[in-house]
Amino acid sequence: AQTVTQSQPEMSVQEAETVTLSCTYDTSESDYYLFWYKQPPSRQMILVIRQEAYKQQNATENRFSVNFQKAAKSFSLKISDSQLGDAAMYFCAYSTGGTYKYIFGTGTRLKVLA
Amino acid sequence: GAGVSQSPSNKVTEKGKDVELRCDPISGHTALYWYRQSLGQGLEFLIYFQGNSAPDKSGLPSDRFSAERTGGSVSTLTIQRTQQEDSAVYLCASSSLAFSYEQYFGPGTRLTVT
């Protein structure tokens, strides 16, 4: 069975600094998708970034980028130039290609210090 | 609509009462998901609807939980004879395609069973 593990329950970063959130997953599939979602205190889950497993190039979205290590089954999120608005719960998620089932990690709470 | 909406935002109910939670997905989205998010936990899959196909109810924790989706749009999650362990945030998400695509989440309903 597929699993998603986020080993950091909580992280802190100074404003304007860079932080990396870890995510590992376990699967025997070769075709899958990985996601990072952000959940601020408003509870609205928002997609931050998405990575297709068949793509070797790491996805980037402005200040957000991933380090996708397929062999190691690792999918970390790097936030550069952290802003106060980045403070939220971050969830890593996995979905096997061609299915609708998503598996979420338990989340990492990110605090941004002014 | 502009996004996924859920009502009520918060619901406090007494143990043993029935509750109904509503989800209005983004217009035109054929896939709809319900998740449960307990404090400090990730998202737990409950049920999935796709078009006119039979829903995947494999995540419903007990027969006290049921869900309907009328006309391929609005969905209602019903919890009968609520228990204290049902207290959680219930999130709804919709997607334009079923497979491995971004899910758009609603703000959730926080259910508290006293």
Side-chain angles (χ1 to χ4, degrees):
Chain A
Q2 294 93 354
T3 58
V4 175
T5 301
Q6 294 180 251
S7 58
Q8 306 155 315
E10 190 170 294
M11 293 281 286
S12 296
V13 62
Q14 206 70 33
E15 197 176 5
E17 296 294 309
T18 296
V19 64
T20 298
L21 308 184
S22 300
C23 173
T24 59
Y25 58 95
D26 189 22
T27 183
S28 58
E29 303 289 337
S30 59
D31 178 24
Y32 53 88
Y33 298 78
L34 296 164
F35 308 84
W36 277 99
Y37 280 89
K38 170 185 177 181
Q39 186 180 41
S42 67
R43 297 199 307 247
Q44 188 90 41
M45 294 270 283
I46 304 164
L47 178 69
V48 175
I49 200 164
R50 158 201 167 108
Q51 175 82 42
E52 291 87 344
Y54 64 84
K55 290 186 177 179
Q56 294 185 343
Q57 187 172 7
N58 289 326
T60 62
E61 285 289 340
N62 302 312
R63 298 183 295 108
F64 299 87
S65 62
V66 299
N67 183 5
F68 174 46
Q69 301 288 328
K70 191 171 184 178
K73 297 178 182 174
S74 171
F75 182 62
S76 61
L77 174 69
K78 185 172 84 170
I79 306 174
S80 303
D81 185 27
S82 297
Q83 300 175 0
L84 294 177
D86 295 334
M89 282 289 285
Y90 286 82
F91 291 94
C92 179
Y94 163 99
S95 179
T96 302
T99 75
Y100 53 81
K101 285 282 183 74
Y102 291 75
I103 301 169
F104 288 82
T106 52
T108 296
R109 181 174 301 281
L110 178 66
K111 295 184 177 181
V112 181
L113 309 174
Chain B
V4 179
S5 61
Q6 291 186 246
S7 60
S9 177
N10 290 282
K11 176 72 176 179
V12 180
T13 189
E14 293 180 352
K15 177 182 173 181
K17 300 283 189 181
D18 297 352
V19 295
E20 285 189 351
L21 312 180
R22 177 186 169 105
C23 172
D24 282 89
I26 292 174
S27 177
H29 279 193
T30 58
L32 187 146
Y33 303 76
W34 281 99
Y35 294 93
R36 180 167 69 177
Q37 185 179 23
S38 301
L39 188 64
Q41 302 296 314
L43 276 66
E44 175 189 4
F45 168 79
L46 296 178
I47 189 168
Y48 163 79
F49 295 90
Q50 169 57 22
N52 296 319
S53 303
D56 178 353
K57 305 179 181 181
S58 61
L60 294 178
S62 77
D63 58 8
R64 295 186 296 104
F65 288 73
S66 63
E68 290 184 341
R69 189 178 185 191
T70 55
S73 181
V74 173
S75 177
T76 302
L77 177 69
T78 301
I79 308 174
Q80 296 178 313
R81 305 181 303 281
T82 52
Q83 304 294 313
Q84 287 186 331
E85 59 264 28
D86 298 334
S87 296
V89 173
Y90 290 82
L91 292 170
C92 174
S94 70
S95 177
S96 61
L97 292 171
F99 300 150
S100 309
Y101 275 77
E102 176 184 358
Q103 297 183 57
Y104 293 82
F105 284 83
T109 294
R110 181 178 298 281
L111 175 66
T112 303
V113 182
T114 60

PDB file of all heavy atoms in Angstrom, chain A residues 67-96:
ATOM      1  N   ASN A  67      12.340  19.328  -4.533  1.00  0.00           N
ATOM      2  CA  ASN A  67      13.475  18.461  -4.822  1.00  0.00           C
ATOM      3  C   ASN A  67      12.910  17.055  -4.899  1.00  0.00           C
ATOM      4  O   ASN A  67      12.658  16.418  -3.867  1.00  0.00           O
ATOM      5  CB  ASN A  67      14.536  18.578  -3.733  1.00  0.00           C
ATOM      6  CG  ASN A  67      15.767  17.737  -4.062  1.00  0.00           C
ATOM      7  OD1 ASN A  67      15.873  17.144  -5.143  1.00  0.00           O
ATOM      8  ND2 ASN A  67      16.712  17.685  -3.153  1.00  0.00           N
ATOM      9  N   PHE A  68      12.692  16.582  -6.098  1.00  0.00           N
ATOM     10  CA  PHE A  68      12.072  15.285  -6.338  1.00  0.00           C
ATOM     11  C   PHE A  68      13.169  14.267  -6.604  1.00  0.00           C
ATOM     12  O   PHE A  68      13.872  14.345  -7.615  1.00  0.00           O
ATOM     13  CB  PHE A  68      11.111  15.386  -7.525  1.00  0.00           C
ATOM     14  CG  PHE A  68      10.508  14.083  -7.965  1.00  0.00           C
ATOM     15  CD1 PHE A  68       9.983  13.193  -7.038  1.00  0.00           C
ATOM     16  CD2 PHE A  68      10.451  13.745  -9.314  1.00  0.00           C
ATOM     17  CE1 PHE A  68       9.420  11.996  -7.438  1.00  0.00           C
ATOM     18  CE2 PHE A  68       9.891  12.552  -9.731  1.00  0.00           C
ATOM     19  CZ  PHE A  68       9.367  11.675  -8.794  1.00  0.00           C
ATOM     20  N   GLN A  69      13.304  13.327  -5.700  1.00  0.00           N
ATOM     21  CA  GLN A  69      14.292  12.260  -5.812  1.00  0.00           C
ATOM     22  C   GLN A  69      13.530  10.944  -5.958  1.00  0.00           C
ATOM     23  O   GLN A  69      13.145  10.322  -4.960  1.00  0.00           O
ATOM     24  CB  GLN A  69      15.198  12.233  -4.584  1.00  0.00           C
ATOM     25  CG  GLN A  69      15.955  13.518  -4.346  1.00  0.00           C
ATOM     26  CD  GLN A  69      17.061  13.726  -5.357  1.00  0.00           C
ATOM     27  OE1 GLN A  69      17.660  12.765  -5.840  1.00  0.00           O
ATOM     28  NE2 GLN A  69      17.316  14.989  -5.697  1.00  0.00           N
ATOM     29  N   LYS A  70      13.295  10.545  -7.207  1.00  0.00           N
ATOM     30  CA  LYS A  70      12.415   9.401  -7.449  1.00  0.00           C
ATOM     31  C   LYS A  70      12.975   8.107  -6.860  1.00  0.00           C
ATOM     32  O   LYS A  70      12.250   7.311  -6.282  1.00  0.00           O
ATOM     33  CB  LYS A  70      12.171   9.236  -8.959  1.00  0.00           C
ATOM     34  CG  LYS A  70      11.067   8.251  -9.289  1.00  0.00           C
ATOM     35  CD  LYS A  70      10.717   8.294 -10.766  1.00  0.00           C
ATOM     36  CE  LYS A  70       9.537   7.376 -11.078  1.00  0.00           C
ATOM     37  NZ  LYS A  70       9.157   7.437 -12.512  1.00  0.00           N
ATOM     38  N   ALA A  71      14.248   7.885  -7.027  1.00  0.00           N
ATOM     39  CA  ALA A  71      14.835   6.640  -6.521  1.00  0.00           C
ATOM     40  C   ALA A  71      14.742   6.571  -5.004  1.00  0.00           C
ATOM     41  O   ALA A  71      14.496   5.507  -4.431  1.00  0.00           O
ATOM     42  CB  ALA A  71      16.285   6.525  -6.970  1.00  0.00           C
ATOM     43  N   ALA A  72      14.919   7.702  -4.362  1.00  0.00           N
ATOM     44  CA  ALA A  72      14.862   7.758  -2.905  1.00  0.00           C
ATOM     45  C   ALA A  72      13.440   7.922  -2.403  1.00  0.00           C
ATOM     46  O   ALA A  72      13.199   7.871  -1.194  1.00  0.00           O
ATOM     47  CB  ALA A  72      15.731   8.896  -2.395  1.00  0.00           C
ATOM     48  N   LYS A  73      12.488   8.130  -3.327  1.00  0.00           N
ATOM     49  CA  LYS A  73      11.084   8.365  -2.975  1.00  0.00           C
ATOM     50  C   LYS A  73      10.976   9.521  -1.981  1.00  0.00           C
ATOM     51  O   LYS A  73      10.343   9.395  -0.922  1.00  0.00           O
ATOM     52  CB  LYS A  73      10.444   7.088  -2.440  1.00  0.00           C
ATOM     53  CG  LYS A  73      10.414   5.984  -3.492  1.00  0.00           C
ATOM     54  CD  LYS A  73       9.816   4.697  -2.969  1.00  0.00           C
ATOM     55  CE  LYS A  73       9.869   3.636  -4.065  1.00  0.00           C
ATOM     56  NZ  LYS A  73       9.423   2.322  -3.578  1.00  0.00           N
ATOM     57  N   SER A  74      11.584  10.615  -2.385  1.00  0.00           N
ATOM     58  CA  SER A  74      11.595  11.804  -1.556  1.00  0.00           C
ATOM     59  C   SER A  74      11.064  12.975  -2.365  1.00  0.00           C
ATOM     60  O   SER A  74      11.366  13.113  -3.565  1.00  0.00           O
ATOM     61  CB  SER A  74      13.022  12.084  -1.081  1.00  0.00           C
ATOM     62  OG  SER A  74      13.119  13.331  -0.454  1.00  0.00           O
ATOM     63  N   PHE A  75      10.307  13.844  -1.702  1.00  0.00           N
ATOM     64  CA  PHE A  75       9.655  14.961  -2.398  1.00  0.00           C
ATOM     65  C   PHE A  75       9.604  16.134  -1.432  1.00  0.00           C
ATOM     66  O   PHE A  75       8.602  16.359  -0.766  1.00  0.00           O
ATOM     67  CB  PHE A  75       8.249  14.518  -2.823  1.00  0.00           C
ATOM     68  CG  PHE A  75       7.466  15.550  -3.593  1.00  0.00           C
ATOM     69  CD1 PHE A  75       7.907  16.028  -4.808  1.00  0.00           C
ATOM     70  CD2 PHE A  75       6.248  16.023  -3.108  1.00  0.00           C
ATOM     71  CE1 PHE A  75       7.182  16.968  -5.524  1.00  0.00           C
ATOM     72  CE2 PHE A  75       5.506  16.964  -3.816  1.00  0.00           C
ATOM     73  CZ  PHE A  75       5.974  17.433  -5.023  1.00  0.00           C
ATOM     74  N   SER A  76      10.671  16.885  -1.330  1.00  0.00           N
ATOM     75  CA  SER A  76      10.738  17.981  -0.368  1.00  0.00           C
ATOM     76  C   SER A  76      10.340  19.300  -1.014  1.00  0.00           C
ATOM     77  O   SER A  76      10.507  19.496  -2.223  1.00  0.00           O
ATOM     78  CB  SER A  76      12.133  18.078   0.244  1.00  0.00           C
ATOM     79  OG  SER A  76      13.092  18.324  -0.762  1.00  0.00           O
ATOM     80  N   LEU A  77       9.828  20.182  -0.206  1.00  0.00           N
ATOM     81  CA  LEU A  77       9.374  21.504  -0.655  1.00  0.00           C
ATOM     82  C   LEU A  77      10.308  22.567  -0.091  1.00  0.00           C
ATOM     83  O   LEU A  77      10.521  22.619   1.123  1.00  0.00           O
ATOM     84  CB  LEU A  77       7.941  21.775  -0.175  1.00  0.00           C
ATOM     85  CG  LEU A  77       7.387  23.177  -0.460  1.00  0.00           C
ATOM     86  CD1 LEU A  77       7.155  23.361  -1.958  1.00  0.00           C
ATOM     87  CD2 LEU A  77       6.091  23.410   0.312  1.00  0.00           C
ATOM     88  N   LYS A  78      10.826  23.400  -0.962  1.00  0.00           N
ATOM     89  CA  LYS A  78      11.673  24.501  -0.535  1.00  0.00           C
ATOM     90  C   LYS A  78      10.932  25.807  -0.740  1.00  0.00           C
ATOM     91  O   LYS A  78      10.426  26.077  -1.835  1.00  0.00           O
ATOM     92  CB  LYS A  78      12.993  24.530  -1.319  1.00  0.00           C
ATOM     93  CG  LYS A  78      13.956  25.596  -0.821  1.00  0.00           C
ATOM     94  CD  LYS A  78      15.335  25.492  -1.463  1.00  0.00           C
ATOM     95  CE  LYS A  78      15.392  26.169  -2.794  1.00  0.00           C
ATOM     96  NZ  LYS A  78      16.788  26.266  -3.311  1.00  0.00           N
ATOM     97  N   ILE A  79      10.881  26.586   0.336  1.00  0.00           N
ATOM     98  CA  ILE A  79      10.256  27.904   0.271  1.00  0.00           C
ATOM     99  C   ILE A  79      11.366  28.932   0.440  1.00  0.00           C
ATOM    100  O   ILE A  79      12.041  28.966   1.479  1.00  0.00           O
ATOM    101  CB  ILE A  79       9.196  28.090   1.366  1.00  0.00           C
ATOM    102  CG1 ILE A  79       8.166  26.956   1.302  1.00  0.00           C
ATOM    103  CG2 ILE A  79       8.499  29.441   1.207  1.00  0.00           C
ATOM    104  CD1 ILE A  79       7.148  26.975   2.439  1.00  0.00           C
ATOM    105  N   SER A  80      11.547  29.740  -0.563  1.00  0.00           N
ATOM    106  CA  SER A  80      12.584  30.776  -0.535  1.00  0.00           C
ATOM    107  C   SER A  80      11.971  32.115  -0.140  1.00  0.00           C
ATOM    108  O   SER A  80      10.773  32.349  -0.355  1.00  0.00           O
ATOM    109  CB  SER A  80      13.241  30.902  -1.909  1.00  0.00           C
ATOM    110  OG  SER A  80      13.769  29.666  -2.325  1.00  0.00           O
ATOM    111  N   ASP A  81      12.790  32.976   0.462  1.00  0.00           N
ATOM    112  CA  ASP A  81      12.328  34.315   0.836  1.00  0.00           C
ATOM    113  C   ASP A  81      10.995  34.219   1.583  1.00  0.00           C
ATOM    114  O   ASP A  81       9.985  34.819   1.192  1.00  0.00           O
ATOM    115  CB  ASP A  81      12.186  35.178  -0.422  1.00  0.00           C
ATOM    116  CG  ASP A  81      11.824  36.618  -0.113  1.00  0.00           C
ATOM    117  OD1 ASP A  81      12.156  37.092   0.990  1.00  0.00           O
ATOM    118  OD2 ASP A  81      11.194  37.256  -0.982  1.00  0.00           O
ATOM    119  N   SER A  82      10.985  33.454   2.659  1.00  0.00           N
ATOM    120  CA  SER A  82       9.745  33.177   3.401  1.00  0.00           C
ATOM    121  C   SER A  82       9.040  34.463   3.821  1.00  0.00           C
ATOM    122  O   SER A  82       9.678  35.445   4.235  1.00  0.00           O
ATOM    123  CB  SER A  82      10.061  32.344   4.644  1.00  0.00           C
ATOM    124  OG  SER A  82      10.594  31.097   4.279  1.00  0.00           O
ATOM    125  N   GLN A  83       7.729  34.423   3.706  1.00  0.00           N
ATOM    126  CA  GLN A  83       6.896  35.563   4.073  1.00  0.00           C
ATOM    127  C   GLN A  83       5.936  35.162   5.176  1.00  0.00           C
ATOM    128  O   GLN A  83       5.628  33.975   5.345  1.00  0.00           O
ATOM    129  CB  GLN A  83       6.131  36.047   2.840  1.00  0.00           C
ATOM    130  CG  GLN A  83       7.045  36.478   1.703  1.00  0.00           C
ATOM    131  CD  GLN A  83       6.298  36.847   0.444  1.00  0.00           C
ATOM    132  OE1 GLN A  83       5.061  36.787   0.387  1.00  0.00           O
ATOM    133  NE2 GLN A  83       7.036  37.238  -0.581  1.00  0.00           N
ATOM    134  N   LEU A  84       5.450  36.162   5.917  1.00  0.00           N
ATOM    135  CA  LEU A  84       4.536  35.874   7.024  1.00  0.00           C
ATOM    136  C   LEU A  84       3.310  35.101   6.529  1.00  0.00           C
ATOM    137  O   LEU A  84       2.765  34.259   7.244  1.00  0.00           O
ATOM    138  CB  LEU A  84       4.118  37.169   7.709  1.00  0.00           C
ATOM    139  CG  LEU A  84       5.248  37.928   8.430  1.00  0.00           C
ATOM    140  CD1 LEU A  84       4.716  39.232   9.016  1.00  0.00           C
ATOM    141  CD2 LEU A  84       5.877  37.080   9.527  1.00  0.00           C
ATOM    142  N   GLY A  85       2.886  35.386   5.303  1.00  0.00           N
ATOM    143  CA  GLY A  85       1.720  34.702   4.749  1.00  0.00           C
ATOM    144  C   GLY A  85       1.951  33.245   4.412  1.00  0.00           C
ATOM    145  O   GLY A  85       1.013  32.528   4.070  1.00  0.00           O
ATOM    146  N   ASP A  86       3.204  32.808   4.503  1.00  0.00           N
ATOM    147  CA  ASP A  86       3.494  31.390   4.243  1.00  0.00           C
ATOM    148  C   ASP A  86       3.182  30.520   5.458  1.00  0.00           C
ATOM    149  O   ASP A  86       3.175  29.286   5.352  1.00  0.00           O
ATOM    150  CB  ASP A  86       4.969  31.212   3.872  1.00  0.00           C
ATOM    151  CG  ASP A  86       5.334  31.891   2.560  1.00  0.00           C
ATOM    152  OD1 ASP A  86       4.450  32.066   1.713  1.00  0.00           O
ATOM    153  OD2 ASP A  86       6.524  32.257   2.400  1.00  0.00           O
ATOM    154  N   ALA A  87       2.940  31.140   6.589  1.00  0.00           N
ATOM    155  CA  ALA A  87       2.637  30.375   7.794  1.00  0.00           C
ATOM    156  C   ALA A  87       1.349  29.589   7.594  1.00  0.00           C
ATOM    157  O   ALA A  87       0.301  30.153   7.263  1.00  0.00           O
ATOM    158  CB  ALA A  87       2.493  31.312   8.993  1.00  0.00           C
ATOM    159  N   ALA A  88       1.437  28.283   7.761  1.00  0.00           N
ATOM    160  CA  ALA A  88       0.294  27.402   7.485  1.00  0.00           C
ATOM    161  C   ALA A  88       0.700  25.968   7.775  1.00  0.00           C
ATOM    162  O   ALA A  88       1.847  25.682   8.093  1.00  0.00           O
ATOM    163  CB  ALA A  88      -0.142  27.516   6.019  1.00  0.00           C
ATOM    164  N   MET A  89      -0.273  25.067   7.640  1.00  0.00           N
ATOM    165  CA  MET A  89       0.013  23.636   7.598  1.00  0.00           C
ATOM    166  C   MET A  89       0.283  23.278   6.146  1.00  0.00           C
ATOM    167  O   MET A  89      -0.424  23.720   5.246  1.00  0.00           O
ATOM    168  CB  MET A  89      -1.176  22.831   8.100  1.00  0.00           C
ATOM    169  CG  MET A  89      -1.332  22.791   9.601  1.00  0.00           C
ATOM    170  SD  MET A  89      -0.077  21.796  10.408  1.00  0.00           S
ATOM    171  CE  MET A  89      -0.659  20.149  10.005  1.00  0.00           C
ATOM    172  N   TYR A  90       1.300  22.479   5.937  1.00  0.00           N
ATOM    173  CA  TYR A  90       1.637  22.025   4.591  1.00  0.00           C
ATOM    174  C   TYR A  90       1.479  20.504   4.534  1.00  0.00           C
ATOM    175  O   TYR A  90       2.046  19.777   5.345  1.00  0.00           O
ATOM    176  CB  TYR A  90       3.055  22.435   4.215  1.00  0.00           C
ATOM    177  CG  TYR A  90       3.165  23.918   3.917  1.00  0.00           C
ATOM    178  CD1 TYR A  90       3.291  24.843   4.947  1.00  0.00           C
ATOM    179  CD2 TYR A  90       3.106  24.383   2.608  1.00  0.00           C
ATOM    180  CE1 TYR A  90       3.361  26.205   4.683  1.00  0.00           C
ATOM    181  CE2 TYR A  90       3.191  25.740   2.336  1.00  0.00           C
ATOM    182  CZ  TYR A  90       3.312  26.637   3.372  1.00  0.00           C
ATOM    183  OH  TYR A  90       3.385  27.990   3.094  1.00  0.00           O
ATOM    184  N   PHE A  91       0.711  20.059   3.555  1.00  0.00           N
ATOM    185  CA  PHE A  91       0.463  18.635   3.379  1.00  0.00           C
ATOM    186  C   PHE A  91       1.073  18.157   2.074  1.00  0.00           C
ATOM    187  O   PHE A  91       0.892  18.766   1.018  1.00  0.00           O
ATOM    188  CB  PHE A  91      -1.039  18.343   3.349  1.00  0.00           C
ATOM    189  CG  PHE A  91      -1.721  18.546   4.666  1.00  0.00           C
ATOM    190  CD1 PHE A  91      -2.324  19.744   4.970  1.00  0.00           C
ATOM    191  CD2 PHE A  91      -1.760  17.517   5.609  1.00  0.00           C
ATOM    192  CE1 PHE A  91      -2.955  19.933   6.191  1.00  0.00           C
ATOM    193  CE2 PHE A  91      -2.398  17.700   6.826  1.00  0.00           C
ATOM    194  CZ  PHE A  91      -2.987  18.906   7.115  1.00  0.00           C
ATOM    195  N   CYS A  92       1.765  17.057   2.160  1.00  0.00           N
ATOM    196  CA  CYS A  92       2.271  16.365   0.990  1.00  0.00           C
ATOM    197  C   CYS A  92       1.221  15.324   0.596  1.00  0.00           C
ATOM    198  O   CYS A  92       0.602  14.701   1.473  1.00  0.00           O
ATOM    199  CB  CYS A  92       3.594  15.695   1.362  1.00  0.00           C
ATOM    200  SG  CYS A  92       4.386  14.746   0.068  1.00  0.00           S
ATOM    201  N   ALA A  93       0.988  15.155  -0.687  1.00  0.00           N
ATOM    202  CA  ALA A  93      -0.024  14.208  -1.136  1.00  0.00           C
ATOM    203  C   ALA A  93       0.474  13.434  -2.351  1.00  0.00           C
ATOM    204  O   ALA A  93       1.285  13.929  -3.134  1.00  0.00           O
ATOM    205  CB  ALA A  93      -1.327  14.925  -1.466  1.00  0.00           C
ATOM    206  N   TYR A  94      -0.063  12.249  -2.484  1.00  0.00           N
ATOM    207  CA  TYR A  94       0.339  11.328  -3.557  1.00  0.00           C
ATOM    208  C   TYR A  94      -0.919  10.795  -4.246  1.00  0.00           C
ATOM    209  O   TYR A  94      -1.941  10.551  -3.604  1.00  0.00           O
ATOM    210  CB  TYR A  94       1.116  10.162  -2.935  1.00  0.00           C
ATOM    211  CG  TYR A  94       1.256   8.939  -3.800  1.00  0.00           C
ATOM    212  CD1 TYR A  94       2.411   8.695  -4.525  1.00  0.00           C
ATOM    213  CD2 TYR A  94       0.227   7.988  -3.893  1.00  0.00           C
ATOM    214  CE1 TYR A  94       2.542   7.560  -5.311  1.00  0.00           C
ATOM    215  CE2 TYR A  94       0.347   6.872  -4.686  1.00  0.00           C
ATOM    216  CZ  TYR A  94       1.511   6.659  -5.384  1.00  0.00           C
ATOM    217  OH  TYR A  94       1.636   5.545  -6.174  1.00  0.00           O
ATOM    218  N   SER A  95      -0.810  10.637  -5.548  1.00  0.00           N
ATOM    219  CA  SER A  95      -1.903  10.007  -6.286  1.00  0.00           C
ATOM    220  C   SER A  95      -1.321   9.153  -7.397  1.00  0.00           C
ATOM    221  O   SER A  95      -0.449   9.610  -8.137  1.00  0.00           O
ATOM    222  CB  SER A  95      -2.837  11.060  -6.859  1.00  0.00           C
ATOM    223  OG  SER A  95      -3.881  10.450  -7.591  1.00  0.00           O
ATOM    224  N   THR A  96      -1.793   7.925  -7.505  1.00  0.00           N
ATOM    225  CA  THR A  96      -1.327   7.049  -8.564  1.00  0.00           C
ATOM    226  C   THR A  96      -1.962   7.465  -9.882  1.00  0.00           C
ATOM    227  O   THR A  96      -3.158   7.744  -9.934  1.00  0.00           O
ATOM    228  CB  THR A  96      -1.702   5.587  -8.251  1.00  0.00           C
ATOM    229  OG1 THR A  96      -1.123   5.232  -7.000  1.00  0.00           O
ATOM    230  CG2 THR A  96      -1.185   4.656  -9.326  1.00  0.00           C
TER     231      THR A  96
END
